[in-house]
Amino acid sequence: MQKPVKPPPAGYRRMSMRQREAVMGYLFIAPALVGLLVFYALPTLRAAQISLTDWNLLRAPRFVALSNYEKLWADDTFWESLRLTLLYVVYNIPVQTALALFIAVLADRLARQVWVRAVIIAPYLISNVVAALIWLLMLDPLIGMTNVFLDAIGVAKQSYLSSPDQALISVAGINIWRHVGFTALLFYAGLQAIPRDLYEAARLDGAREWQMFRTITLPLLRPVMVFVLVTSVIGSFQIFDTIAVTTAGGPAGSTKVVMFYIYETAFKFSKMGLASAMSMVLFFILIAVTMVQMRLMRSDQSDLG
């Protein structure tokens, strides 16, 4: 004999499907949210607090209000480091984005094999430090393979990382080589989401490849383009490890970007308050640049309707 089902207690309310999905979603994002709070939000608040103090790591911090920010305003080296950082972004982002888009389109049209994508992503799997060491040897003005190749074809040898005029461009080239494959794969994934019947309809109307790329591919790749540009620009403003390994801010300060200057100020000159103030200025610059990018590229709109 089947036992009677007990009615739920007073005040009990069964969770709806939407509520259960919401709870499950929060459980899935909880580890990432905890990591964001512990490793990003709290250190940012701590840096903002330290930026208002004079602290050399050996004695207790002394509150100085906005004195560190006033020092930055008059610090020519800081403004020069920001200029070099912007120059690095100009060297890096346009070439990396255009080259990655070209590679992605070629992979989509000509070669969709898995091994092709594996070759494209291979440089990104190397750490920044290892990649910098490899290129430091290859670009050596005396024994580097690049100068050996240039000498073989009758071109004058170059100084690369040893030249104030070429060092920053060389660092940008190293990072383009390492990151272009990953960026290309992001574009490749975006290309796979574009309906193929749009291209077929355009071909029936007599559109050429360049016309289809300009009127179909680029507009529908805009969400991926926004993500790529925002993350690439933020990463470029934070360039440090490649410069620390290859040039250490030289020669003659030609690669002393803002992140390297922050590192020197904090750990070489033991001015943690001033370094934290630089970090906060960079933080707000990145927020402003990101907002401008997302506004100009209409990130809240979609061309795929």
Side-chain angles (χ1 to χ4, degrees):
M1 181 177 180
Q2 188 176 7
K3 294 182 180 180
V5 179
K6 294 182 179 180
Y12 174 82
R13 185 169 62 89
R14 186 183 297 274
M15 293 178 62
S16 65
M17 179 68 72
R18 184 183 297 274
Q19 290 173 325
R20 288 198 297 270
E21 290 179 351
V23 170
M24 188 61 66
Y26 284 123
L27 290 176
F28 274 115
I29 68 172
L33 185 60
V34 171
L36 178 67
L37 292 174
V38 173
F39 297 107
Y40 289 93
L42 292 180
T44 301
L45 294 176
R46 178 60 175 158
Q49 179 185 7
I50 295 174
S51 70
L52 303 177
T53 65
D54 178 15
W55 184 33
N56 64 1
L57 296 175
L58 298 178
R59 54 173 172 76
R62 180 172 60 88
F63 182 74
V64 294
L66 299 178
S67 177
N68 287 321
Y69 294 94
E70 294 173 357
K71 291 179 181 178
L72 287 185
W73 185 258
D75 188 352
D76 293 336
T77 305
F78 174 69
W79 293 108
E80 175 64 12
S81 69
L82 276 180
R83 186 190 73 83
L84 290 173
T85 304
L86 289 172
L87 192 59
Y88 170 79
V89 172
V90 171
Y91 289 154
N92 183 32
I93 300 302
V95 176
Q96 177 181 315
T97 305
L99 187 57
L101 185 57
F102 177 73
I103 294 173
V105 172
L106 283 184
D108 181 60
R109 298 295 177 86
L110 302 179
R112 297 187 182 182
Q113 293 86 351
V114 175
W115 69 267
V116 174
R117 297 196 292 273
V119 171
I120 292 174
I121 196 65
Y124 185 75
L125 302 179
I126 304 173
S127 71
N128 273 335
V129 173
V130 174
L133 288 173
I134 292 173
W135 282 99
L136 180 62
L137 294 175
M138 293 181 63
L139 297 179
D140 187 278
L142 299 178
I143 61 173
M145 292 179 57
T146 54
N147 272 333
V148 172
F149 173 75
L150 291 179
D151 187 57
I153 62 176
V155 179
K157 293 183 178 181
Q158 304 297 317
S159 300
Y160 298 117
L161 297 169
S162 303
S163 168
D165 297 326
Q166 299 179 7
L168 194 62
I169 297 177
S170 300
V171 170
I174 294 172
N175 282 279
I176 289 172
W177 172 82
R178 182 178 181 270
H179 291 91
V180 70
F182 177 72
T183 307
L185 282 188
L186 292 176
F187 282 132
Y188 181 83
L191 290 172
Q192 303 308 300
I194 299 177
R196 298 294 162 176
D197 54 358
L198 295 178
Y199 293 106
E200 295 175 2
R203 289 191 184 94
L204 291 177
D205 290 337
R208 298 184 177 181
E209 289 292 331
W210 169 247
Q211 292 174 319
M212 290 189 291
F213 177 78
R214 183 171 53 87
T215 59
I216 298 176
T217 304
L218 279 182
L220 297 185
L221 271 182
R222 185 159 50 82
V224 179
M225 185 73 72
V226 171
F227 176 79
V228 165
L229 288 179
V230 168
T231 55
S232 298
V233 169
I234 291 175
S236 295
F237 267 93
Q238 296 176 319
I239 176 68
F240 171 77
D241 39 14
T242 304
I243 287 176
V245 172
T246 56
T247 64
S254 60
T255 60
K256 186 180 285 189
V257 294
V258 66
M259 284 296 296
F260 193 83
Y261 187 44
I262 292 173
Y263 162 78
E264 276 192 336
T265 303
F267 300 107
K268 184 176 180 180
F269 303 114
S270 299
K271 297 179 180 180
M272 296 300 297
L274 187 60
S276 297
M278 294 182 199
S279 300
M280 296 309 300
V281 171
L282 180 61
F283 174 70
F284 287 111
I285 288 175
L286 290 177
I287 290 178
V289 169
T290 300
M291 293 178 64
V292 169
Q293 284 182 286
M294 298 184 72
R295 182 66 180 271
L296 291 178
M297 300 192 69
R298 299 176 293 121
S299 62
D300 58 339
Q301 302 176 21
S302 175
D303 291 305
L304 188 59

